[in-house]
Amino acid sequence: MPLSDNVRNAIVDAVEQGFTDQIEFTKALVRFPSTRGQEHEIMAFIAGQLSDRGYEVDQFDMDPAALEAHEGGGRITPEHSTAPIVVGTHQPANETGRSLILQSHVDVVPAGPDSMWHHPPFEPHVEGDWLYGRGGADMKAGQAQIFFAMDALRRAGFAPAGRVHLQTVVEEESTGNGALMTYLKGYDADAVLIPEPEEEMLVRANVGTLWFQVEVQGKPVHVREMGSGANAIDAAYRVIAALRGLEEAWNAEKTDHRFFEELDHPINLNIGKIEGGDWASSVPSWCRVDCRIAIYPGMKAADAARQIEDTISAFAADDPYLSNSPPTVTFNGFFSEGYTLDPGSEAEAVLGRAHHAATGEDLQSFVTPGYLDCRVYQLYNRIPSLCYGPISENIHGVDERVSVESIRRTTIAMALFIAEWCGVEAIET
Ligand code: ZN
């Protein structure tokens, strides 16, 4: 049922009242340099914040065997984070409303060279409308929004009339195993909202993602007899060119994929890291290349993996050197399918009303060519999965920043969404 004017106004006021604290809280989150594997401290902080607010707190570890057995489980390597997953639960005394998951991730990608940043990446600061810092947009602003949207309801004198799980995960940037772990642990609800920085729009469809490493062996000799050796780095370049061919072939199929027809280049292959060789005057004997590629929704990760392997082995078979020394391929991270959000769900209608009340605009949707945890909820929980959040720039780049006014607007929208989706009951304040 749409919210009454009184309830709506009280919630909007409550978000405004908490907003200065919310930005300080966001900055506090950015100060944790929570790159992959370094999230234990921030997770302890999150657990403390949840318990201070009276949520029932559940902390649990990744279950590598269960994750590996699942078709969407990211491949586990020694770099896989061992930080716990933390879930806080609001359980209404008298549960009459729809349930909801609010999810965020606290892992952030490496900052890159500090010298390229105008301010140190983990020292957040606000300049004009922008809050700067690694992870501020992706997605510590969203993490704070989850806390403060729920706090605003309470400050306005309401509690959600449905069960709400506040789920904080890791491994969003490399495997998606954190979100998958919450599913394997049994967490479920009638809908999920993930406040990733999505330009105040709703994600309609999203690609799947695979990570893999190609290893090429060379034949090491002194450079004076280079012709008798084989250069692993040169050979790796040839393999990369073959993979670019696969990338173009997949992009050429975009018109067969609903929602992807209009995108310029939906399938991006990123050569993310390359290492090899030992010495400038020795023909290199080894080269390793770390790659990330996207796949359309509907394609299984295992099928895509097979096509990647086939592309490399077919190329190697025709290459004079590689035919005798074929490259090896190891999947070492994301192994995920994409998803689409079917238009017309009640959850989307409720978010549309909340967004309109907060911004005066109709809610737009768009398609993103990057990984999102929503795939777990859409594909496995089979619930409407809403990815929606503030305007940002330079995520995964330098001088990552998120718009403060956009945080304000989307927090109002989130609070109104929670209130209407779950319903509210009056509480003593
Ligand atoms: Zn993110």
Side-chain angles (χ1 to χ4, degrees):
M1 195 174 61
L3 298 172
S4 70
D5 287 353
N6 283 347
V7 171
R8 190 186 315 115
N9 292 340
I11 292 172
V12 172
D13 288 349
V15 171
E16 298 283 0
Q17 282 164 19
F19 195 66
T20 305
D21 287 348
Q22 181 179 342
I23 294 303
E24 286 311 309
F25 187 91
T26 307
K27 288 160 75 177
L29 294 175
V30 174
R31 285 188 196 99
F32 290 94
S34 51
T35 50
R36 187 185 203 191
Q38 308 299 313
E39 311 95 338
H40 296 76
E41 220 182 308
I42 193 170
M43 279 305 205
F45 175 79
I46 296 289
Q49 291 291 321
L50 288 167
S51 109
D52 287 352
R53 284 165 165 82
Y55 296 107
E56 195 183 301
V57 180
D58 183 16
Q59 288 198 53
F60 49 92
D61 290 331
M62 298 274 190
D63 178 345
L67 288 161
E68 270 170 358
H70 192 276
E71 65 167 352
R75 299 307 194 240
I76 294 168
T77 67
E79 289 77 38
H80 201 260
S81 180
T82 55
I85 311 298
V86 176
V87 177
T89 295
H90 159 77
Q91 181 64 55
N94 180 19
E95 193 171 347
T96 56
R98 289 177 288 217
S99 58
L100 179 65
I101 291 169
L102 299 167
Q103 195 222 278
S104 68
H105 67 85
V106 290
D107 54 318
V108 303
V109 300
D114 271 23
S115 61
M116 292 179 75
W117 289 71
H118 283 94
H119 290 263
F122 297 107
E123 289 175 23
H125 79 288
V126 174
E127 210 176 291
D129 182 44
W130 296 105
L131 190 163
Y132 289 84
R134 166 58 82 234
D138 185 10
M139 63 170 294
K140 288 171 174 174
Q143 174 76 57
Q145 285 183 303
I146 289 174
F147 276 107
F148 281 77
M150 290 288 285
D151 290 355
L153 261 61
R154 188 177 305 186
R155 200 177 302 114
F158 305 110
R163 178 171 37 89
V164 182
H165 299 298
L166 294 78
Q167 304 188 168
T168 303
V169 308
V170 296
E171 286 281 332
E172 192 275 346
E173 300 287 6
S174 51
T175 58
N177 280 349
L180 186 58
M181 198 60 232
T182 67
Y183 165 74
L184 293 170
K185 193 78 181 163
Y187 281 98
D188 201 6
D190 296 321
V192 61
L193 174 66
I194 301 185
E196 288 272 13
E198 302 295 2
E199 312 305 306
E200 301 188 7
M201 292 192 280
L202 176 65
V203 176
R204 174 66 62 209
N206 182 234
V207 293
T209 303
L210 283 90
W211 272 21
F212 57 98
Q213 185 181 69
V214 180
E215 204 163 348
V216 180
Q217 282 199 337
K219 188 175 163 203
V221 292
H222 190 289
V223 281
R224 68 188 172 185
E225 57 232 12
M226 200 171 91
S228 69
N231 185 317
I233 294 175
D234 284 343
Y237 272 72
R238 300 200 295 278
V239 175
I240 290 169
L243 288 168
R244 291 278 173 222
L246 178 67
E247 177 190 25
E248 284 326 298
W250 283 357
N251 276 296
E253 294 169 9
K254 67 179 182 180
T255 47
D256 301 340
H257 297 274
R258 189 177 176 214
F259 303 123
F260 287 83
E261 307 91 335
E262 303 300 321
L263 263 66
D264 183 38
H265 197 266
I267 302 299
N268 290 327
L269 166 69
N270 187 49
I271 306 304
K273 184 175 163 189
I274 182 161
E275 51 184 348
D278 301 299
W279 187 250
S281 290
S282 301
V283 170
S285 60
W286 66 282
C287 185
R288 280 194 292 269
V289 186
D290 280 52
C291 309
R292 169 270 190 206
I293 199 165
I295 57 174
Y296 296 107
M299 184 188 238
K300 296 282 180 197
D303 293 339
R306 208 166 307 121
Q307 286 194 47
I308 291 164
E309 287 169 335
D310 290 351
T311 299
I312 292 172
S313 58
F315 172 77
D318 284 342
D319 183 272
Y321 170 68
L322 292 172
S323 54
N324 292 312
S325 181
T328 56
V329 183
T330 308
F331 292 88
N332 63 351
F334 286 117
F335 206 76
S336 83
E337 242 181 276
Y339 77 91
T340 56
L341 173 71
D342 287 333
S345 68
E346 178 61 10
E348 184 173 339
V350 173
L351 182 62
R353 282 195 283 278
H355 175 80
H356 194 274
T359 66
E361 311 277 343
D362 288 339
L363 178 62
Q364 307 288 322
S365 65
F366 75 130
V367 176
T368 56
Y371 171 83
L372 291 172
D373 273 342
C374 272
R375 59 105 193 191
V376 167
Y377 302 94
Q378 191 68 43
L379 296 172
Y380 310 126
N381 294 81
R382 296 176 174 276
I383 58 176
S385 303
L386 309 173
C387 196
Y388 165 88
I391 291 167
S392 74
E393 287 182 357
N394 307 334
I395 59 170
H396 294 213
V398 299
D399 293 335
E400 172 177 349
R401 61 188 195 172
V402 56
S403 160
V404 172
E405 283 310 307
S406 182
I407 294 175
R408 187 198 303 269
R409 287 190 293 273
T410 49
T411 306
I412 291 170
M414 283 175 63
L416 296 176
F417 170 78
I418 297 165
E420 186 180 335
W421 178 257
C422 298
V424 287
E425 53 185 19
I427 51 166
E428 308 270 325
T429 51

